Amino acid sequence: MLLYNSQTSVPVFINLLRTILAHASSKVADVEALFKLASIPQLQEIAIRNLEAASTMRHQGFEPHISELFDLVYSEAPEKARLSGLVIIANLCIKEAMRSKILEVGGFETLIAIIRGEGVLFKKVEAQRTAAKGLSNLVATRRELRLKAITD
């Protein structure tokens, strides 16, 4: 007979979810579920890592969470999680359908600020390089934004 004990069951459940996420394919990952799991501190790192992998292959499901990603980048989360959030944004900038939403939440200005090194995380070359990749993709089809990016 299996007895439920909340003190021992929660860590077991967390470890089970970690194992599932570690072996999950990013092609079939449920973006909405991963964002919910990322709000659980014990699962945040692995959920964000799965979101990062999923963002390289597809863009469906990310649109409602664009502002959350920018919030993550500027949050008090661990540096790895914040950098992963920035990588996800840069990956999403590739898709035309995502560009308008990213611009709508102030993505252009944020990426420029990161490239300039504003903020502790953003003094790191890796973050600046990722932001430059995102900005390059974001302005790829918009001449007026390319000119603004060059002058800023």
Side-chain angles (χ1 to χ4, degrees), residues 11-66:
V12 169
F13 181 67
I14 294 292
N15 285 334
L16 174 66
L17 283 173
R18 266 197 203 116
T19 303
I20 291 169
L21 288 173
H23 298 292
S25 168
S26 56
K27 293 178 183 175
V28 295
D30 180 352
V31 172
E32 189 67 36
L34 287 172
F35 270 100
K36 287 179 182 171
L37 290 174
S39 67
I40 301 170
Q42 300 93 327
L43 297 174
Q44 183 181 47
E45 183 181 333
I46 196 160
I48 291 172
R49 210 172 332 133
N50 281 20
L51 284 166
E52 184 178 338
S55 72
T56 63
M57 296 181 198
R58 62 193 179 93
H59 301 91
Q60 300 86 358
F62 283 93
E63 188 171 334
H65 302 285
I66 297 295

Side-chain angles (χ1 to χ4, degrees), residues 70 89-90 92-96 98-104 106-112 131-142 145-146:
F70 281 101
I89 291 167
L92 296 177
C93 286
I94 294 169
K95 195 73 171 166
E96 181 62 41
M98 301 302 290
R99 290 179 188 151
S100 60
K101 181 67 175 176
I102 291 169
L103 289 169
E104 183 181 301
F108 179 85
E109 294 80 9
T110 301
L111 293 172
I112 292 284
K133 172 190 166 193
L135 185 65
S136 173
N137 290 323
L138 187 63
V139 302
T141 60
R142 298 182 182 198
L145 286 177
R146 278 196 310 266

Side-chain angles (χ1 to χ4, degrees), residues 108 112 116 144-152:
F108 179 85
I112 292 284
R116 287 183 181 150
E144 72 282 355
L145 286 177
R146 278 196 310 266
L147 293 173
K148 185 174 180 187
I150 292 168
T151 58
D152 283 355

